[in-house]
Amino acid sequence: MAELLTVDDPDDPRLADYTGLTDVELRRRREPAEGLFIAEGEKVIRRARNAGYEMRSMMLSAKWFDVMRDVIDEESAPVYAVTPELAERVTGYHVHRGALAAMARRPLPPVAGLLAPATGEVRRVAVFEDIVDHANLGAAFRNAAALGVDAVLLTPRCADPLYRRAVKVSMGSVFHVPWTRLESWPQDIGLLREAGFTTAALCLSDRSITLDELVARRYGRLALVFGTEGDGLTDRALAAADTHVRIPMDAGVDSLNVAAASAVAFYATRADAP
């Protein structure tokens, strides 16, 4: 059972994990290096714990003591009681949800292990190339979880799915979809081919087929590849992909936001699609 420890100094070193949460560049460097990420809000904290992530500490304002009492009682990690004003001084923003937890990261699995796990079968994966917007990445992970994608692969320059905003937008779905980073892109498309996957690049190109045509081909193992906001997939990724796929649209609209496009593609290619 954790003890509630009252902290009234924003410079208290025990709150170091929570300092400067709005400084994206700082947190992007610091969190992976220190092996931590921040879970914000009751539901996200619970989902992180349920997914097996270890808690380093928790920072709560008074109104959350009773709501999080069961977590406090089950945890051995320290729980810091702070005022909303102090939480804002430490984090750099008004903490609307009033509950923050510093969680320990886990080592990322190797790509081969993710594509051929010891239990179950992986038939459909998503590959996100260089998506740098944390909100888009979080939304895409939520889509992947909701629509039965088996695993997610990120290119080396893709944003951190465990960054606070990505976790928040995903509503904790990043904890429930197996994922890892590719080391060399697009060369690692070869790993997908070796595992029997057909790679389908979502794009507008002269040789793209429609999403309905892709679904009709009934590939046994399919990797859907999505590019970054604005620019889409790189030329090298397009050249390496097995096929190009477009989502037909009306009203002169040529493309969707990457998160929206992922939802459409995930739904259309689900295992029970007609």
Side-chain angles (χ1 to χ4, degrees), residues 111-112 115 182-184 187-197:
V111 175
L115 298 180
L182 299 165
E183 294 183 0
S184 181
Q187 293 89 335
D188 281 346
I189 280 181
L191 299 177
L192 289 161
R193 286 204 184 94
E194 290 172 10
F197 283 86

Side-chain angles (χ1 to χ4, degrees), residues 3-15:
E3 179 184 359
L4 276 171
L5 304 170
T6 300
V7 179
D8 54 17
D9 179 1
D11 295 321
D12 191 310
R14 292 176 294 178
L15 301 182

Side-chain angles (χ1 to χ4, degrees), residues 25-203:
E25 288 303 317
L26 171 66
R27 300 302 303 198
R28 191 164 59 185
R29 293 192 307 270
R30 180 184 166 198
E31 290 185 11
E34 296 183 14
L36 72 109
F37 68 91
I38 299 296
E40 179 180 2
E42 176 202 359
K43 290 181 180 178
V44 172
I45 292 172
R46 293 183 185 278
R47 287 172 182 171
R49 294 180 73 247
N50 290 341
Y53 286 92
E54 180 183 354
M55 184 179 290
R56 290 163 57 123
S57 69
M58 191 158 51
M59 186 173 74
L60 303 176
S61 56
K63 74 173 186 177
W64 291 95
F65 294 168
D66 290 339
V67 175
M68 303 298 291
R69 175 52 60 184
D70 59 316
V71 176
I72 295 170
D73 289 345
E74 293 170 2
E75 278 292 338
S76 58
V79 179
Y80 303 120
V82 300
T83 64
E85 294 75 19
L86 187 134
E88 183 169 353
R89 291 179 65 186
V90 171
T91 63
Y93 72 104
H94 180 64
V95 186
H96 297 283
R97 287 175 171 80
L100 293 170
M103 312 294 294
R105 291 179 182 244
R106 297 195 296 238
L108 291 178
V111 175
L114 205 64
L115 298 180
T119 59
E121 187 169 5
V122 174
R123 291 187 174 275
R124 198 169 49 138
V125 303
V127 181
F128 297 134
E129 181 192 61
D130 300 354
I131 296 177
V132 296
D133 185 282
H134 291 98
N136 279 339
L137 188 62
F141 261 90
R142 188 174 184 182
N143 296 338
L147 297 168
V149 171
D150 297 309
V152 170
L153 302 176
L154 306 179
T155 63
R157 292 188 295 180
C158 209
D160 180 10
L162 294 183
Y163 178 68
R164 178 177 58 90
R165 180 157 175 75
V167 172
K168 179 179 175 182
V169 171
S170 81
M171 290 299 294
S173 296
V174 296
F175 307 136
H176 300 289
V177 181
W179 66 275
T180 195
R181 283 194 186 272
L182 299 165
E183 294 183 0
S184 181
W185 180 257
Q187 293 89 335
D188 281 346
I189 280 181
L191 299 177
L192 289 161
R193 286 204 184 94
E194 290 172 10
F197 283 86
T198 296
T199 54
L202 274 290
C203 65

Side-chain angles (χ1 to χ4, degrees), residues 225-247:
V225 188
F226 301 88
T228 188
E229 305 84 354
D231 294 333
L233 288 163
T234 60
D235 290 341
R236 293 177 64 208
L238 291 173
D242 296 315
T243 189
H244 293 179
V245 182
R246 70 182 185 276
I247 300 172

Side-chain angles (χ1 to χ4, degrees), residues 209-268:
I209 62 173
T210 67
L211 183 57
D212 288 338
E213 290 178 87
L214 176 71
V215 172
R217 293 183 181 184
R218 299 287 182 180
Y219 290 114
R221 308 189 89 183
L222 181 63
L224 297 163
V225 188
F226 301 88
T228 188
E229 305 84 354
D231 294 333
L233 288 163
T234 60
D235 290 341
R236 293 177 64 208
L238 291 173
D242 296 315
T243 189
H244 293 179
V245 182
R246 70 182 185 276
I247 300 172
M249 281 172 276
D250 295 327
V253 178
D254 63 353
S255 63
L256 297 173
N257 165 279
V258 63
S262 73
V264 173
F266 296 159
Y267 181 78

